[in-house]
Amino acid sequence: MDDNAADAKDTISYDDPDAPWNKEFSEEEMAGWNDGVITEFRENGGKVGGDYAGATLLLLTTTGAKSGKPHVVPLGALYRGDVMYVSSFIEDRYPAWYHNAKADPRVTIELGGEKFAAMADVLTGERYDEFAAWALTENSLLAEYQTKVDKPLPLVVLRRVL
């Protein structure tokens, strides 16, 4: 198990009331939530404080499937060996970044103080099944959340374009 997977297992449980996703926020706070995280990330070379202090975040820029406009979202950088992947908790529908990556896999990643082009590989079929079996074994937060929803969690591998 790599260090990031070990850290994720030691973090908290999905149901932890202190986890950022279980806290109550007003609509105004939620509307600008990512904006604040994105600004802090960019101003501090990829480091953020608050609920995400110590987490390895990345900024994923996709092209809007409908709008054609850039869409930036902070996500946890997850790894399977040297392979970077992202996922997220879902409620009744998959997140915009996932649909955008399916429509146009050309993305930009900001990680630490570095910014680079990448390709998003939205996993499906047997490739999804194999990767999900591994990811849900190695990441207790994803595994715990998957037991609470009917849809399979999004899994997207990110490969740097050289």
Side-chain angles (χ1 to χ4, degrees), residues 96-152:
W97 67 262
Y98 178 78
H99 292 292
N100 295 345
K102 281 176 69 174
D104 183 351
R106 296 170 296 176
V107 299
T108 301
I109 296 172
E110 295 173 61
L111 183 62
E114 190 178 13
K115 185 175 184 176
F116 54 91
M119 294 297 286
D121 184 8
V122 176
L123 300 180
T124 59
E126 288 180 14
R127 291 177 58 231
Y128 178 91
D129 294 342
E130 185 279 325
F131 203 97
W134 174 87
L136 296 176
T137 300
E138 296 297 314
N139 187 310
S140 60
L141 290 176
L142 289 179
E144 186 177 351
Y145 190 75
Q146 183 64 84
T147 66
K148 298 175 185 316
V149 295
D150 294 329
K151 294 179 181 183

Side-chain angles (χ1 to χ4, degrees), residues 1-11 54-58 76-85 111 134 138-141:
M1 178 178 356
D2 65 30
D3 291 337
N4 288 336
D7 290 346
K9 286 190 174 202
D10 294 338
T11 309
T56 303
L57 294 182
L58 62 81
L78 303 170
Y79 294 90
R80 181 180 187 180
D82 292 337
V83 176
M84 181 189 304
Y85 72 100
L111 183 62
W134 174 87
E138 296 297 314
N139 187 310
S140 60
L141 290 176

Side-chain angles (χ1 to χ4, degrees), residues 4-138:
N4 288 336
D7 290 346
K9 286 190 174 202
D10 294 338
T11 309
I12 48 183
S13 95
Y14 174 76
D15 289 326
D16 184 331
D18 293 327
W21 49 84
N22 287 326
K23 292 183 180 178
E24 300 249 352
F25 297 98
S26 70
E27 283 188 41
E28 290 112 23
E29 289 172 315
M30 286 308 297
W33 179 268
N34 283 345
D35 295 342
V37 174
I38 291 165
T39 298
E40 184 178 2
F41 181 101
R42 289 178 171 158
E43 288 176 351
N44 296 300
K47 303 281 187 211
V48 296
D51 290 326
Y52 299 108
T56 303
L57 294 182
L58 62 81
L59 298 183
L60 179 69
T61 302
T62 59
T63 301
K66 294 179 183 175
S67 70
K69 295 179 181 178
H71 177 79
V72 181
V73 63
L75 294 167
L78 303 170
Y79 294 90
R80 181 180 187 180
D82 292 337
V83 176
M84 181 189 304
Y85 72 100
V86 290
S87 185
S88 66
F89 301 142
I90 56 174
E91 295 296 330
D92 58 339
R93 62 180 182 226
Y94 288 104
W97 67 262
Y98 178 78
H99 292 292
N100 295 345
K102 281 176 69 174
D104 183 351
R106 296 170 296 176
V107 299
T108 301
I109 296 172
E110 295 173 61
L111 183 62
E114 190 178 13
K115 185 175 184 176
F116 54 91
M119 294 297 286
D121 184 8
V122 176
L123 300 180
T124 59
E126 288 180 14
R127 291 177 58 231
Y128 178 91
D129 294 342
E130 185 279 325
F131 203 97
W134 174 87
L136 296 176
T137 300
E138 296 297 314

